[in-house]
Amino acid sequence: QSVLTQPPSVSGAPGQRVTISCTGSSSNIGAGYDVHWYQQLPGTAPKLLIYSNNNRPSGVPDRFSGSKSGTSASLAITGLQAEDEADYYCQSYDSSLSASYVFGAGTKVTVL
Amino acid sequence: EVQLVQSGAEVKAPGESLKISCKASGYSFTTYWIGWVRQMPGTGLEWMGIIYPGDSDTRYSPSFQGQVTISADKSISTAYLQWSSLKVSDTAMYFCARRYTTSSGYCFDSWGQGTLVTVSS
């Protein structure tokens, strides 16, 4: 059971907007720790997609955006494209678990 | 360019030992923490532990403490993950990743390609 809670799956048609939620608690997201998002394409390593809640590394399209409020965060994908079909994971830091780096269980995005 | 290159896939029998590697290049190896992440078949990412190659300070997730050993050789910019006695349940993909410090926390900004470990009798 993951410390951060994500929906198992979301789907959308090409061009649509989808959002993925990530819910934590007062010892991680609610404690003020940053939330980061990773994209894992099938058969590949995870790739940092959003860091520090809403920042994109160089090369990440601006179709991807992040936000954080209270004990939750969200990843939004606007103008959904076929190549966005992947697993997405949120990650934060938790001060209550031996200083752990915690991940959500992942959300599968399907492009219809 | 930051690169983490991991050793190749392994097939082992239960009870055997194993050490996999993660060679870093393109940055100062001794000034960034390197973490290890497990991904069991069809499941998500689990943080296992992390090491600071500069002084070999190592931290483990409670779930993996005593089950694996993380080490590093700064002379060859390589981090390691090892098992003394593998179990079938250790079958998974293992990733190394460089930790990056953000304004209020940490992320993993560069990842190795992964090492698939299969434990089967």
Side-chain angles (χ1 to χ4, degrees):
Chain A
Q1 189 155 344
S2 300
V3 173
L4 305 179
T5 301
Q6 297 180 235
S9 63
V10 299
S11 62
Q16 284 191 327
R17 179 179 187 267
V18 297
T19 61
I20 301 169
S21 60
C22 174
T23 302
S25 67
S26 59
S27 62
N28 42 69
I29 299 175
Y33 292 111
D34 286 338
V35 177
H36 320 288
W37 292 89
Y38 302 87
Q39 177 192 59
Q40 187 175 31
L41 297 169
T44 69
K47 166 193 163 186
L48 181 64
L49 192 68
I50 296 286
Y51 67 95
S52 295
N53 311 314
N54 56 14
N55 294 279
R56 288 184 305 276
S58 173
V60 173
D62 59 7
R63 302 185 290 104
F64 296 92
S65 62
S67 63
K68 174 191 162 186
S69 178
T71 58
S72 295
S74 290
L75 173 72
I77 310 174
T78 56
L80 195 63
Q81 298 183 5
E83 67 215 49
D84 299 333
E85 190 159 290
D87 293 320
Y88 293 83
Y89 296 89
C90 61
Q91 178 253 313
S92 187
Y93 184 81
D94 194 297
S95 59
S96 73
L97 299 170
S98 298
S100 290
Y101 304 81
V102 291
F103 290 92
T107 298
K108 170 70 176 179
V109 170
T110 301
V111 182
L112 301 172
Chain B
E1 179 197 5
V2 175
Q3 278 197 309
L4 299 174
V5 178
Q6 298 185 229
S7 49
E10 302 274 2
V11 179
K12 292 288 189 178
E16 289 191 316
S17 63
L18 176 64
K19 191 173 189 177
I20 63 174
S21 66
C22 169
K23 183 168 177 59
S25 63
Y27 73 97
S28 175
F29 180 66
T30 56
T31 59
Y32 287 84
W33 291 75
I34 291 276
W36 286 93
V37 175
R38 183 177 78 174
Q39 186 168 38
M40 298 179 77
T43 69
L45 306 172
E46 302 172 85
W47 172 70
M48 303 175 69
I50 197 163
I51 187 166
Y52 187 72
D55 60 6
S56 292
D57 186 7
T58 309
R59 317 282 170 83
Y60 293 94
S61 161
S63 299
F64 293 92
Q65 179 80 49
Q67 307 304 308
V68 297
T69 301
I70 293 171
S71 60
D73 184 340
K74 56 187 178 184
S75 70
I76 55 172
S77 300
T78 301
Y80 301 96
L81 176 66
Q82 69 180 83
W83 295 259
S84 58
S85 181
L86 285 160
K87 309 180 188 69
V88 172
S89 58
D90 292 319
T91 295
M93 183 71 83
Y94 294 88
F95 297 101
C96 62
R98 188 181 79 161
R99 190 190 85 169
Y100 178 78
T101 300
T102 62
S103 55
S104 297
Y106 313 96
C107 65
F108 296 101
D109 67 341
S110 293
W111 293 68
Q113 82 278 19
T115 296
L116 179 62
V117 174
T118 303
V119 184
S120 174
S121 54

